[in-house]
Amino acid sequence: MNIFRNIFVFCMIAAIIINSGCEELLNADDDCEAAPLDCIGSRPTEGQLIIRSTINAANSQVPLWVYRGDFENNDLVLDTMLSVNGLTLILPVDQYYSVVAKYIQADGDTVYAVDGDDIEVDEDDYCDATCFSLDNGHIDVTLKFPKR
Amino acid sequence: MTYEGKHKHSFYLEMPFRAADFAIGGTYRYSINSEKFLGITASFFGRPFGKSILVQHGRRTYFQWKEYRYVLAAGLDKKFWLNNRWDAFISASAGYTFADYRGSGEGTFMGMNLETKDGITPVINVGLSYKFSRFVFLRGGFQYTDLKTVRGVRIYAGLGGQL
């Protein structure tokens, strides 16, 4: 009789465990969201660094430097001369970039405009896929304090 | 015992602001003399965005930075009750302000020292407070701080609770 009682108790406990497991699975299915149609399934390796700068009468050409990390580290990515109000670069992701633009004021003073931003990849998990999205870098080195 | 004596702790969320600049933060206040409505305070607030500022680093050389700015302060706060809802307050604190520039690690560049403008600052708030209920109050007035790169008086607003 003890054997039957033990088997009965075992079955009851097993049924409770299995049943609760099923509920968890069912609940998990309820919370699960399908990936959107525009899901990017492969992790991007490059993103955009969107740079805004100023061209004015005193600065028809603006020297501009792009660095990996803080600019004092001198890890130069690009050294160029801009003659338009901005530039977009394609650069590796998961990296912080800093940008320096050099302006000459009307009275001859020099202004170095500095800004920095990351190019990052965001990751969203769905029940059927992992989707990636780019968080591009935005740099504003426009001249905010021009002298007339 | 006064209400202030029974409820010594208060905390308020604050937002000092002026044209094109604002900060958010909070102050904890502990009542040390409930008869005189005198308390000690500890505050922290900061600018949550990179504001463009111009700093001279050489004789004719300036840097335009995107600056995040923070203030840590401690001091005294006194209330003058006008009626059972309104009070005037004045608080005076000694603070330390420090900054972070986007794109810079505060090194040297072409022989120029690019350290942020940090240092000691007074933090003075004056204004009126309105008590909505036993626990919730609203503060409004003016704040003076020396943020080193952006000077001037700010409008001060705060929402608080007293426990």
Side-chain angles (χ1 to χ4, degrees):
Chain A
M1 286 297 283
N2 274 347
I3 291 171
F4 288 118
R5 195 175 66 193
N6 289 340
I7 291 170
F8 176 73
V9 169
F10 173 78
C11 288
M12 290 296 288
I13 292 169
I16 290 167
I17 291 169
I18 290 166
N19 193 37
S20 65
C22 286
E23 274 182 7
E24 278 174 16
L25 282 173
L26 285 170
N27 287 339
D29 281 341
D30 285 346
D31 294 339
C32 194
E33 195 181 330
L37 292 174
D38 59 350
C39 171
I40 299 169
S42 57
R43 196 173 201 280
T45 56
E46 292 182 322
Q48 292 184 332
L49 190 70
I50 301 156
I51 302 167
R52 292 195 298 131
S53 58
T54 298
I55 296 295
N56 59 20
N59 299 276
S60 58
Q61 290 208 310
V62 173
L64 185 125
W65 300 273
V66 179
Y67 300 89
R68 238 181 313 269
D70 292 329
F71 77 98
E72 297 97 328
N73 299 338
N74 219 23
D75 188 359
L76 193 65
V77 173
L78 179 72
D79 176 351
T80 190
M81 191 73 86
L82 283 187
S83 52
V84 290
N85 289 321
L87 172 71
T88 298
L89 298 172
I90 305 298
L91 293 168
V93 299
D94 301 326
Q95 182 65 53
Y96 186 79
Y97 296 95
S98 58
V99 176
V100 180
K102 182 182 179 183
Y103 298 100
I104 305 298
Q105 298 278 39
D107 62 359
D109 286 351
T110 301
V111 174
Y112 291 97
V114 183
D115 194 7
D117 202 2
D118 294 290
I119 302 177
E120 294 173 308
V121 177
D122 296 330
E123 200 173 312
D124 292 310
D125 287 323
Y126 296 92
C127 54
D128 54 348
T130 297
C131 301
F132 299 93
S133 58
L134 265 174
D135 185 2
N136 291 315
H138 293 268
I139 298 287
D140 179 7
V141 285
T142 55
L143 184 62
K144 304 288 185 188
F145 307 96
K147 286 181 183 169
R148 311 233 181 257
Chain B
M1 185 180 268
T2 61
Y3 181 81
E4 186 90 353
K6 288 182 202 165
H7 303 85
K8 289 177 178 288
H9 305 275
S10 53
F11 180 81
Y12 25 102
L13 298 170
E14 299 166 298
M15 193 174 82
F17 61 95
R18 67 198 303 268
D21 195 14
F22 74 94
I24 51 175
T27 289
Y28 168 74
R29 181 185 188 277
Y30 179 75
S31 177
I32 53 172
N33 187 329
S34 57
E35 302 299 321
K36 293 182 177 172
F37 299 100
L38 186 68
I40 52 172
T41 59
S43 307
F44 177 75
F45 53 92
R47 181 191 294 137
F49 66 99
K51 177 178 170 56
S52 293
I53 56 147
L54 194 65
V55 179
Q56 188 168 8
H57 285 283
R59 198 174 66 83
R60 300 201 66 182
T61 305
Y62 295 79
F63 275 77
Q64 178 185 294
W65 302 110
K66 296 280 187 177
E67 183 197 67
Y68 296 90
R69 170 69 57 181
Y70 311 95
V71 177
L72 196 60
L76 293 169
D77 177 270
K78 182 165 172 58
K79 301 178 197 173
F80 303 91
W81 282 98
L82 306 174
N83 57 39
N84 63 351
R85 290 270 182 200
W86 289 92
D87 72 80
F89 67 87
I90 179 164
S91 67
S93 301
Y96 187 78
T97 179
F98 53 100
D100 183 29
Y101 297 150
R102 266 166 46 178
S104 171
E106 301 175 46
T108 53
F109 178 71
M110 293 164 63
M112 289 175 284
N113 183 0
L114 302 181
E115 282 183 1
T116 55
K117 302 288 180 189
D118 303 339
I120 290 168
T121 174
V123 180
I124 297 164
N125 297 320
V126 292
L128 295 172
S129 174
Y130 179 77
K131 200 162 187 173
F132 281 101
S133 69
R134 287 179 66 189
F135 305 111
V136 181
F137 58 88
L138 191 66
R139 280 186 160 195
F142 297 96
Q143 180 183 78
Y144 173 76
T145 48
D146 176 7
L147 297 184
K148 309 302 177 190
T149 52
V150 183
R151 289 186 169 83
V153 174
R154 288 146 193 271
I155 295 170
Y156 166 88
L159 175 67
Q162 188 166 5
L163 294 172

